[in-house]
């Protein structure tokens, strides 16, 4: 007796929980748990009811599909119920489904199946009378849905009139309204820019867009529709196809869109192959799917097999491994990337999601943490799609514990303890010690030695990595302390190559202030900005002591670049590296303020495009800048000259449209040499 009472209580709790999740999913369009958790509870409910059929009640979630219609819409009763599908979660369950059908049909031959990607959207019914769209409704609870006719009419690929004339007098088309991935990303971007709530996934975006009381809102959203079956069919036509796949072709001939990836399979082995093929292509599809629907293709066999209370016996949905799961966020650690970006990483209670066990997920940045409202110890929903890095997509607030803790960004770099910076207008927090921080060391050292920076011949990226990995260098100054005996022991480095590299390092000590500044790797400071900084301040000491206001007086240096430069020269670790470089002998000549006659091109803007033959683009740029010219990367009304080399493209066309003077390479050389000789 006690066991029976416990089972009844368990059933009541399961039904109440599933009903609540149904309400959130189908009515509010705001699910609080991933599909995998819902599926687990439903399977548990079905298992108990199968063992105790006497306890099955008419209002159990197992006896209906979805939730009640929204009261804001008028209700529509489906003349043919819109049932749900049973699920298979692996190949063995799909094989068992095939065997059940063969046993019921009392035959052991390979069956023909229709195979269709299971779109992750909102199921709808569209009714056509005499070829005209007269009604559209959501599935609702399977018997009664919501009248969304005006909204469905706004969907771009839904025909208001059928093509041809060989269609039934009354035809109910069933299918899925969904939002393509690209449209979803664009919608969320516009929502974020407008300060509105972003959608968790394309399914929520599609449902929320379709179920708007104002059709203008639906019309503004990038919704699409794919038909997947017929419901009510009344009235004679010349030939009604007798297979599901052929009926899809009929719908297509009448002007209704169907999924191009739909196919057929002979026997269950071909079904397995189709499932694997779609699974591999999933990330490349333009829309989200969560599995594959397999249907007996013969309409006669479908009619013979019939239905159970909530699903057809002749169809099943095989689900992909869940892309979303619930787990607990145990802690948050902060990682430093190669560019100094500090990223919060959630440490999770391990959970199987997207086909792998996940224990870490990215939280991106402080703005994302604020948007999610996530805290340590929260129960969270984690998503992993294909090869995409797992991420926390939402918080299950109903399960927030009392000991939940705020996530606080560090004030110092977790790796080197240097100060962190966040420039106004940027969401990324960064370590300010690019040359010192071990997390950024390899990239900083590669940049320092590169051709456009210190141009150390023989010191390529792979050798830099070896030197760092073996602990032979930990800062740029260490390059200049290397000797032949050390280098000759390196992989693929003989004594002659080592000697050549040491000589190149000695030659590189004599440099220029612009090249040195560029080599330091200050964020947002490229070659041109480094040159402008050097020419403006003319000494490293003057630059180091410059205020933010002083820095913004430099040509082409705005607030953000000024802040990066200011932060760099006010981090002691960076100053230590610079002092060390000077101590090992790096030097450059003083920069004297050029007279006006030394800069005859001052105030003139050039743009270089196409391939140059005599000089490289960088050489031409440097020569023009030495004469005071500004060299820009884009053509505008302020451009004075466009230098067009071979295969000049759109920049040349734009310059011609704006009436800008065009120079070929020889004309540019003649112009530069004429000023150099004066």
């Amino acid at each position: 007796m006690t066991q029976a009472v416990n089972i009844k209580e368990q059933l009541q709790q399961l039904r109440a929980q599933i009903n609540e999740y149904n309400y959130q999913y189908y009515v509010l369009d705001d699910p609080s748990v991933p599909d995998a958790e819902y599926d687990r509870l439903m399977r548990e409910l079905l298992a108990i009811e199968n063992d105790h059929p006497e306890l099955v009640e008419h209002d159990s979630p197992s006896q209906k599909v979805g939730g009640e219609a929204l009261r804001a819409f008028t209700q529509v009763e489906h003349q043919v119920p819109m049932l749900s599908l049973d699920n298979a979660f692996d190949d063995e369950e799909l094989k068992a489904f095939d065997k059940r059908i063969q046993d019921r049909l009392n035959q052991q031959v390979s069956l023909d199946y229709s195979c269709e990607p299971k779109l992750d959207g909102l199921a709808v019914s569209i009714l056509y009378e005499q070829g005209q769209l007269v009604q559209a409704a959501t599935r609702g609870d399977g018997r009664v849905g919501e009248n969304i006719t005006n909204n469905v009419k706004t969907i771009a690929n839904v025909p208001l009139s059928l093509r041809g004339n060989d269609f039934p007098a009354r035809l109910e088309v069933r299918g899925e309204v969904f939002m393509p991935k690209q449209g979803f990303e664009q919608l969320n971007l516009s929502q974020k820019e407008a300060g509105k709530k972003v959608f968790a996934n394309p399914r929520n975006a599609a449902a929320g867009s379709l179920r708007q009381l104002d059709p203008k809102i639906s019309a503004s959203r990038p919704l699409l529709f794919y038909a997947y079956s017929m419901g009510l069919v009344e009235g004679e036509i010349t030939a009604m196809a007798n297979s599901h796949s052929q009926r899809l072709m009929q719908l297509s001939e009448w002007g209704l869109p169907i999924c191009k990836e739909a196919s057929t399979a002979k026997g269950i082995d071909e079904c397995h192959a189709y499932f694997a093929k779609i699974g591999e292509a999933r990330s490349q599809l333009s829309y989200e799917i969560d599995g594959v629907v397999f249907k007996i293709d013969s309409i006669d066999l479908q009619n013979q097999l019939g239905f159970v209370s909530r699903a057809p016996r002749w169809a099943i949905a095989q689900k992909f491994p869940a892309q979303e799961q619930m787990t607990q966020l145990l802690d948050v650690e902060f990682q430093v990337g190669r560019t100094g970006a500090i990223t919060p990483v959630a440490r999770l209670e391990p959970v199987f999601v997207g086909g792998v066990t996940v224990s870490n997920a990215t939280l991106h940045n402080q703005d994302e943490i604020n948007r999610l409202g996530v805290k340590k110890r929260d129960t969270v929903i984690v998503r992993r799609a294909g090869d995409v890095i797992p991420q926390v997509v939402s918080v299950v607030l109903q399960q927030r514990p009392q000991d939940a803790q705020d996530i606080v960004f560090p004030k110092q770099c977790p790796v080197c303890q240097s100060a962190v910076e966040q420039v106004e207008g940027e969401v990324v927090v960064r370590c300010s010690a690019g040359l010192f921080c071990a997390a950024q060391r390899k990239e900083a050292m590669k940049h320092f030695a590169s051709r456009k920076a210190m141009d150390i011949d023989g010191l390529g990226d792979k050798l830099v990595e070896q030197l760092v990995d073996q602990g032979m260098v930990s800062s740029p100054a260490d390059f200049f302390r290397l000797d032949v005996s050390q280098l000759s022991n390196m992989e693929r480095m003989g004594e002659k190559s080592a000697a050549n590299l040491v000589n190149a390092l000695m030659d590189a000590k004599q440099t220029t202030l612009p090249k040195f500044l560029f080599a330091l790797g200050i964020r947002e400071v490229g070659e041109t900005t480094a040159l402008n900084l050097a020419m403006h301040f003319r000494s490293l000491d003057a630059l180091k002591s410059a205020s933010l206001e002083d820095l913004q007086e430099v040509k082409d240096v705005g607030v953000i670049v000024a802040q990066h430069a200011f932060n760099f020269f006010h981090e002691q670790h960076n100053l230590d590296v610079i002092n060390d470089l000077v101590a090992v002998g790096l030097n450059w000549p003083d920069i004297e303020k050029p007279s006006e006659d030394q800069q005859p091109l001052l105030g003139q803007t050039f743009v270089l495009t196409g391939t140059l033959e005599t000089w490289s683009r960088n050489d031409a740029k440097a020569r023009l800048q030495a004469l005071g010219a500004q060299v820009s990367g884009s053509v505008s009304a302020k451009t004075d000259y466009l230098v067009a080399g071979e295969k000049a493209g759109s920049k040349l066309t734009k310059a011609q449209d704006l009436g800008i003077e065009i120079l070929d390479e020889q004309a540019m050389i003649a112009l530069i040499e004429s000023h150099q000789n004066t």
Side-chain angles (χ1 to χ4, degrees), residues 340 413 416 418-421 430-435 440 567-568 571 574:
C413 171
C416 69
S418 299
V420 301
E421 64 170 352
R430 298 180 186 276
C431 168
S432 61
L435 291 170
Q440 304 170 68
N567 291 345
F568 184 91
E571 170 52 58
N574 292 334

Side-chain angles (χ1 to χ4, degrees), residues 215-245:
K216 292 179 182 177
I217 298 178
S218 297
S220 70
R221 303 285 174 80
L223 298 174
L224 291 177
F225 169 80
Y226 279 164
Y228 58 61
S229 71
M230 301 179 192
L232 177 72
V233 177
E234 290 182 351
E236 295 295 327
I237 65 170
T238 303
M240 193 70 174
N242 196 38
S243 76
H244 177 77
S245 56

Side-chain angles (χ1 to χ4, degrees), residues 375-450:
K375 297 186 177 186
K376 296 179 185 178
R377 312 300 297 174
D378 267 340
T379 295
V380 296
I381 295 176
V382 180
R383 179 177 177 81
R384 180 185 181 273
D387 295 329
V388 177
I389 297 171
Q391 57 183 320
V392 175
V393 295
S394 61
V395 179
V396 183
L397 292 175
Q398 300 95 317
Q399 298 188 28
R400 170 165 286 170
Q402 291 185 350
D403 62 347
Q405 301 173 7
D406 290 338
I407 299 170
V408 181
F409 258 72
K411 299 296 184 184
Q412 284 79 39
C413 171
V415 173
C416 69
Q417 305 308 309
S418 299
V420 301
E421 64 170 352
Q422 183 176 20
V423 175
E424 186 176 352
E426 291 190 350
V427 298
V428 179
V429 175
R430 298 180 186 276
C431 168
S432 61
L435 291 170
F436 175 79
C437 183
Q440 304 170 68
R441 185 168 293 154
K442 282 185 181 179
E443 295 305 315
M445 303 279 262
K446 289 177 188 177
H447 173 77
F448 182 86
S450 65

Side-chain angles (χ1 to χ4, degrees), residues 257-469:
I258 61 173
C259 181
K260 294 179 180 178
E261 281 71 35
S263 185
T264 56
K266 183 77 172 178
I268 203 66
D269 288 341
E270 289 190 11
C271 290
H272 291 322
Y274 179 86
F275 183 82
K277 178 182 177 182
I278 288 294
E280 290 176 1
R282 184 181 184 186
S283 61
Q284 279 75 51
L285 295 176
S286 63
Y287 49 84
E288 290 282 3
I289 62 174
D290 59 3
V292 171
V293 177
F294 296 104
K295 303 171 184 174
I296 292 294
D297 201 33
S298 167
I299 301 300
D300 288 340
L301 290 183
Q302 287 185 9
N303 293 334
Q304 186 177 338
L305 289 163
F307 303 82
V308 292
S309 61
R310 63 187 294 273
R313 290 192 178 96
W314 42 265
I316 197 166
Q318 184 176 2
K319 294 288 198 76
F320 292 123
Q323 291 187 298
E324 292 184 353
Q325 285 284 15
M326 285 200 314
T327 188
Q328 188 177 30
L329 193 157
L330 303 176
D331 200 1
V332 175
E333 296 180 2
F334 294 89
Q335 294 182 346
V336 184
R338 62 182 180 83
T339 63
I342 298 175
T343 304
V345 177
R347 302 303 183 197
L348 308 169
E349 185 69 36
V351 62
F352 193 75
V353 55
V356 301
T357 298
V358 169
S359 56
N360 302 318
T362 180
L363 287 169
H364 298 291
N365 51 53
Q366 185 68 65
D367 283 6
E368 181 68 1
I369 290 172
N370 294 342
R371 185 186 72 79
L372 291 169
V374 64
K375 297 186 177 186
K376 296 179 185 178
R377 312 300 297 174
D378 267 340
T379 295
V380 296
I381 295 176
V382 180
R383 179 177 177 81
R384 180 185 181 273
D387 295 329
V388 177
I389 297 171
Q391 57 183 320
V392 175
V393 295
S394 61
V395 179
V396 183
L397 292 175
Q398 300 95 317
Q399 298 188 28
R400 170 165 286 170
Q402 291 185 350
D403 62 347
Q405 301 173 7
D406 290 338
I407 299 170
V408 181
F409 258 72
K411 299 296 184 184
Q412 284 79 39
C413 171
V415 173
C416 69
Q417 305 308 309
S418 299
V420 301
E421 64 170 352
Q422 183 176 20
V423 175
E424 186 176 352
E426 291 190 350
V427 298
V428 179
V429 175
R430 298 180 186 276
C431 168
S432 61
L435 291 170
F436 175 79
C437 183
Q440 304 170 68
R441 185 168 293 154
K442 282 185 181 179
E443 295 305 315
M445 303 279 262
K446 289 177 188 177
H447 173 77
F448 182 86
S450 65
R451 184 171 59 85
K452 293 182 180 181
M454 298 304 296
D455 192 19
I456 304 173
D457 189 29
L459 189 55
D461 289 354
K462 289 186 179 179
L463 182 55
V464 170
E465 290 186 1
Q466 289 182 52
L467 291 168
V468 173
D469 288 340

Side-chain angles (χ1 to χ4, degrees), residues 168-182:
R170 299 187 77 209
L171 172 67
E172 181 196 1
V173 180
R174 292 176 175 181
E176 199 88 358
V177 172
F178 63 97
M179 187 172 290
K181 295 175 183 176
Q182 184 176 3

Side-chain angles (χ1 to χ4, degrees), residues 506-524:
M506 293 304 104
D507 291 342
K509 287 183 179 180
Q510 182 64 46
T511 185
T512 67
L513 181 56
K515 288 178 71 70
F516 181 76
L517 293 178
F518 177 64
L520 294 179
I522 305 168
R523 186 160 175 77
E524 304 287 352

